[in-house]
């Protein structure tokens, strides 16, 4: 199985750094960035399989970023990360094509499971 | 924004006008008496001696009899004023409890961020401790960094819980210097999820030198939160533009919240600040927002001005006494010393 390429997007720098290290230790290829705009630029530059995307960020927020990502790269799987359990955001995100939804703080096993699931989904969609 | 509508300034009202009326009532018999005595003296007190004496006596009796009544009325009035203040105080507390639900959702979000970082740091320490072999020294360094980060995030969380406590705490804090620019930005942040849901563009016109008012951050935050929520309600699902502006003039600072919503019909204008006046459907508005806001602002020696063109929107302006004691020149080329500011 090929290595999953993950892009981690959150304005909390330390969160990106440490979660990134933990996911790398679990065999993923991880790059991190801190804004929706930067994430879009990275997605144009290199291919990724899954994006872990924080909903609440200054500037372009997660929902806006999700919209843009789906426009330019519909196959990339986006998992939304949010600090509060708002059903509205979850529903809105899924409607816009998010693969899944994670609540912060999340257990690493749950993160891994959802990322792997999203990766499977992408492979199926790619055919 | 569109053309100017009618302008109405609302000053906080107390029982003051009633008190003056009662005092005038008390003064009336005395005045009549004085006039009568004067007349008597002028006519030299010739013919109607006995009649005049009788009238004088009657008036004296009326005056004397009305003294306890007047005193009683005055007493009742000040009691009513006190009760009014207590009533508003209780209303403020209730409204706070009601809005705590909304605010707590945004605070929960704020708190979950440091929690998420601590979760990852602790998890990383665990990973390192379980990791077989590897560089012992490097792992120790990593663990030290993670534990430090956990301490940083604990401090951050404590600040957030402190904020909840401040929010829920009773309202009577000593007046502090409140930076209106900062406060408006922070209040806006509390409403972020509402702003995202509806299509609202936010335009900020904040004074380059932050206007500083004397007051309590918690109370003024509630005022601005009420005004912003009203503005969003007025624009409804269709959205519009929310304009946040601040300015200062000698002795006064202003913060205004403008919207491009439904506006206020002229007949509603005089009742706007009455407790329980609402045009919102049941369960959506209690009609307390503006009543409480004007009470808070009035207490700080300020007022709330309303300007609205029905169908085009409304602007609510909070005018407060400026905090600085030295007179400010209207134009002083940016060489202004920094004012003390309060954190929200
Ligand atoms: N920006 C505005 N545009 C149009 N109408 C407004 C605006 N702000 C207030 N109003 C009118 O004034 C009424 C009273 O406002 P107020 O904030 O006191 O109560 P409410 O918003 O109805 O309820 P509550 O604030 O208790 O949830 C509102 O129902 C609305 O009709
Ligand atoms: Mg209101």
């Amino acid at each position: 199985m090929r290595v999953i390429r993950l892009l981690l997007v959150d304005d909390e720098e330390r969160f990106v750094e440490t979660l990134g290290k933990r996911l790398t230790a679990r065999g993923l290829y991880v790059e991190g960035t801190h804004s929706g705009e930067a994430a879009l630029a990275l997605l144009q530059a290199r291919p990724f399989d899954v994006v872990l995307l924080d909903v609440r960020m200054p500037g372009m927020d997660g929902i806006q970023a999700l919209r843009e990502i789906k426009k330019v790269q519909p196959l990339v799987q986006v998992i939304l990360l949010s600090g509060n359990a708002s059903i509205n955001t979850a529903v809105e995100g899924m409607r816009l094509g998010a693969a899944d939804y994670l609540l912060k703080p999340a257990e690493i096993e749950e993160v891994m499971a959802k990322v792997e699931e999203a990766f499977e989904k992408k492979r199926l969609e790619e055919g | 924004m569109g053309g100017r509508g009618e302008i109405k300034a609302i000053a906080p009202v107390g029982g003051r006008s009633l008190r003056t009326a009662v005092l005038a009532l008390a003064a009336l018999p005395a005045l009549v008496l004085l006039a009568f005595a004067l007349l008597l003296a002028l006519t030299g007190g010739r013919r109607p001696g006995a009649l005049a004496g009788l009238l004088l006596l009657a008036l004296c009796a009326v005056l004397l009899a009305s003294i306890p009544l007047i005193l009683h009325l005055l007493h009742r009035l000040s009691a009513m004023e006190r009760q009014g203040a207590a009533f508003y105080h209780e209303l403020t507390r209730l409204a706070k409890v009601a809005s705590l639900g909304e605010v707590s959702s945004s605070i929960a979000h704020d708190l979950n961020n440091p929690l998420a970082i601590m979760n990852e740091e602790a998890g990383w320490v665990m990973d390192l401790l379980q990791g077989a072999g590897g560089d012992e020294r490097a792992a120790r360094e990593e663990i030290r960094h993670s534990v430090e980060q956990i301490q940083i995030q604990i401090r951050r969380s404590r600040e957030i819980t402190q904020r909840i406590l401040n929010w829920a705490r009773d309202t009577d804090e000593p007046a502090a210097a409140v930076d209106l620019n900062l406060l408006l930005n922070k209040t806006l942040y509390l409403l972020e999820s509402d702003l995202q849901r509806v299509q609202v563009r936010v335009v900020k016109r904040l004074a380059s030198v932050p206007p500083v008012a004397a007051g309590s951050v918690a109370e003024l935050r509630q005022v601005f939160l009420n005004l912003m929520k009203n503005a969003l309600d007025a624009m409804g699902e269709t959205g519009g533009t929310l304009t946040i502006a601040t300015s200062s003039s000698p002795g006064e600072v202003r913060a205004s919240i403008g919207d491009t919503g439904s506006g206020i019909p002229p007949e509603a204008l005089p009742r706007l600040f009455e407790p329980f006046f609402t045009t919102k459907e049941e369960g959506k508005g209690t009609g307390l927002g503006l009543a409480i806001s004007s009470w808070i602002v009035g207490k700080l020696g300020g007022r709330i001005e309303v300007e609205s063109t029905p169908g085009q929107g409304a602007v609510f302006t909070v005018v407060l006494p400026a905090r600085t004691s030295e007179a400010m020149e209207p134009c002083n080329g940016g060489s202004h010393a920094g004012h003390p500011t309060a954190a929200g």
Side-chain angles (χ1 to χ4, degrees):
Chain A
M1 199 168 107
R2 131 175 116 69
V3 172
I4 303 175
R5 296 161 302 185
L6 179 85
L7 179 58
L8 184 50
V9 193
D10 196 307
D11 58 314
E12 298 280 352
E13 292 178 21
R14 186 69 200 201
F15 179 78
V16 170
E17 190 182 325
T18 311
L19 180 57
K21 279 193 275 196
R22 299 188 73 201
L23 292 173
T24 305
R26 281 162 179 77
L28 305 189
Y29 170 79
V30 183
E31 281 190 54
T33 186
H34 310 298
S35 73
E37 291 88 346
L40 278 168
L42 272 174
L43 280 164
Q44 310 271 350
R46 290 188 275 289
F48 287 92
D49 303 306
V50 181
V51 181
L52 259 181
L53 183 63
D54 186 30
V55 171
R56 185 148 131 177
M57 291 182 291
M60 180 188 275
D61 68 35
I63 294 289
Q64 281 171 282
L66 169 64
R67 248 192 222 115
E68 294 305 312
I69 292 172
K70 282 288 156 183
K71 249 187 248 167
V72 289
Q73 295 191 19
L75 283 180
V76 169
Q77 300 297 309
V78 178
I79 300 173
L80 292 174
L81 262 176
S82 168
N84 67 352
S86 151
I87 288 293
N88 284 345
T89 323
V91 170
E92 170 82 349
M94 301 305 259
R95 197 177 60 77
L96 290 170
D100 216 328
Y101 194 81
L102 265 171
L103 282 182
K104 277 190 201 171
E107 294 304 321
I108 195 78
E109 292 77 21
E110 197 187 353
V111 180
M112 279 301 291
K114 296 212 160 170
V115 168
E116 276 162 5
E117 209 176 293
F119 179 61
E120 275 314 306
K121 197 169 158 212
K122 179 174 182 254
R123 290 219 303 190
L124 285 176
E125 280 176 16
E126 277 170 345
Chain B
M1 267 206 68
R4 308 218 128 193
E6 50 240 278
I7 300 176
K8 194 160 193 297
I10 282 98
V13 281
R16 215 148 281 144
S17 48
L18 251 166
R19 188 194 286 267
T20 338
V22 172
L23 278 171
L25 203 85
L28 209 69
L31 264 169
V32 171
L33 203 72
L34 212 78
F36 194 77
L38 208 75
L39 213 81
L40 217 69
L42 280 176
T43 52
R46 262 163 302 173
R47 264 198 312 167
L51 200 80
L54 216 78
L55 248 163
L56 203 89
L57 220 76
L59 266 166
C60 277
V62 166
L63 183 67
L64 273 172
S66 59
I67 284 173
L69 180 78
I70 287 160
L71 282 178
H72 178 70
L73 275 174
L74 277 174
H75 183 76
R76 278 289 299 276
L77 262 175
S78 57
M80 268 166 65
E81 264 172 36
R82 267 202 313 277
Q83 277 172 12
F87 173 67
Y88 267 105
H89 202 275
E90 185 60 14
L91 279 187
T92 316
R93 204 185 59 78
L94 283 175
K96 197 172 270 188
V97 170
S99 57
L100 196 60
E102 299 161 39
V103 174
S104 65
S105 121
S106 113
I107 289 170
H109 193 288
D110 286 351
L111 207 51
N112 275 335
N113 275 325
L115 278 178
I117 295 176
M118 288 190 262
N119 185 46
E120 296 313 326
E121 300 300 343
W124 180 231
V125 170
M126 213 52 157
D127 287 353
L128 289 167
L129 290 175
Q130 283 167 355
D135 185 344
E136 275 285 324
R137 278 178 60 104
R140 270 182 75 90
E141 244 339 82
E142 288 270 339
I143 290 174
R144 204 172 59 79
H145 272 305
S146 283
V147 173
E148 269 170 13
Q149 190 55 227
I150 289 173
Q151 286 173 328
I152 290 172
Q153 298 304 324
I154 287 172
R155 244 174 277 138
R156 181 177 162 196
S157 308
R158 200 164 48 210
E159 275 165 28
I160 298 171
T161 53
Q162 196 57 47
R163 250 180 30 222
I164 313 178
L165 293 178
N166 286 344
W167 175 268
R169 200 175 55 196
D170 220 14
T171 51
D172 287 325
E173 304 174 25
V178 182
D179 175 340
L180 293 183
N181 286 0
L182 191 70
L183 182 59
L184 282 172
N185 272 323
K186 290 198 166 186
T187 312
L188 208 55
Y189 195 63
L190 286 176
L191 285 172
E192 209 183 22
S193 53
D194 297 85
L195 289 172
Q196 276 169 12
R197 207 175 48 243
V198 287
Q199 293 298 311
V200 171
R201 201 165 70 91
V202 179
V203 174
K204 292 185 199 168
R205 295 212 183 87
L206 302 180
S208 50
V209 177
V212 179
S216 120
V217 171
E219 286 190 339
L220 284 174
R221 186 203 286 127
Q222 191 175 4
V223 170
F224 293 130
L225 201 58
N226 286 337
L227 295 180
M228 287 180 192
K229 271 168 33 189
N230 282 348
L232 292 186
D233 285 345
M235 294 191 281
E237 294 298 317
T238 41
T241 304
L242 181 73
T243 307
I244 310 286
T246 59
S247 65
S248 33
S249 52
E252 274 184 352
V253 291
R254 298 167 164 262
S256 70
I257 315 292
D259 63 68
T260 56
S262 56
I264 300 154
E267 63 272 15
L269 216 45
R271 302 198 52 204
L272 227 52
F273 292 82
E274 278 176 24
F276 306 112
F277 174 75
T278 181
T279 58
K280 292 168 193 173
E281 56 192 88
E282 231 180 276
K284 289 208 99 176
T286 53
L288 288 179
L290 287 178
I292 289 167
S293 301
S294 73
W295 179 70
I296 291 173
V297 171
K299 207 177 59 167
L300 298 174
R303 61 184 187 277
I304 300 179
E305 293 176 357
V306 192
E307 196 179 318
S308 173
T309 309
Q312 290 188 27
V315 182
F316 282 75
T317 305
V318 176
V319 186
L320 289 165
R323 151 105 176 167
T324 39
S325 48
E326 82 268 11
M328 275 199 286
E329 295 93 71
C331 254
N332 56 353
S335 61
H336 211 89
H339 287 292
T341 56

